[in-house]
Amino acid sequence: MRVRERRTGRLVLAAGLAALVAGVVMGLATRVLMRLVGLAIGHEGEFTWPGTIAIAVVFAVFAVPAAATAAAPRAIRTAGRWLTAAIAGLGCARNGITDAQAVVLAEEGRLWLIAALIVAFGAAVVAFGRLAQHAALRLADRRPAW
């Protein structure tokens, strides 16, 4: 019984740490992408450390479903990963809509860059859940079974 309790405790700790790691990585990635979109539309915005930390914390919370289901059976693991992607994607889309007018009014020569950055946001959101699950399994000393 004690071995099972230690294993469960290790998985819970690994899931929490993995959510934190994935949140920091995704927070920094989205912050860079936001900056690139801002530059592409000609917006001279500045980012603050408190804002960057807040974004990382929000993404760490978003990573919890994926990290918590990392050691679950395949169907539950997949559902956790896509739930994380859906929540993060909705957050990114809501934030992106606030810049929609600036995107529409952007110079035509920059539209390809803006489109590429939007695709990069989508790719980051999909990879986010996988990163959280991979980190959770590695931190728990288990091999990912993709």
Side-chain angles (χ1 to χ4, degrees):
M1 189 67 146
R2 303 238 345 132
V3 172
R4 185 179 176 127
E5 289 173 7
R6 266 188 282 165
R7 181 175 167 243
T8 302
R10 186 171 49 192
L11 287 173
V12 170
L13 179 64
L17 288 174
L20 185 63
V21 167
V24 168
V25 169
M26 184 65 173
L28 292 175
T30 56
R31 204 61 158 156
V32 168
L33 288 170
M34 282 188 254
R35 180 70 177 144
L36 292 174
V37 168
L39 291 173
I41 62 175
H43 185 268
E44 292 297 324
E46 289 190 22
F47 293 119
T48 63
W49 280 109
T52 302
I53 292 169
I55 288 172
V57 168
V58 166
F59 276 110
V61 172
F62 288 171
V64 169
T69 59
R74 184 181 202 122
I76 295 170
R77 187 174 61 235
T78 302
R81 185 170 55 241
W82 284 106
L83 178 62
T84 292
I87 293 168
L90 179 62
C92 287
R94 283 189 62 212
N95 195 18
I97 288 173
T98 60
D99 291 331
Q101 183 180 11
V103 170
V104 170
L105 297 176
E107 295 176 22
E108 201 168 310
R110 294 184 182 187
L111 289 179
W112 69 270
L113 177 59
I114 295 168
L117 291 169
I118 291 170
V119 170
F121 266 109
V125 163
V126 171
F128 178 45
R130 177 74 68 144
L131 171 65
Q133 289 182 339
H134 183 77
L137 290 174
R138 287 295 181 188
L139 289 169
D141 288 334
R142 296 186 64 183
R143 297 221 175 242
W146 308 118

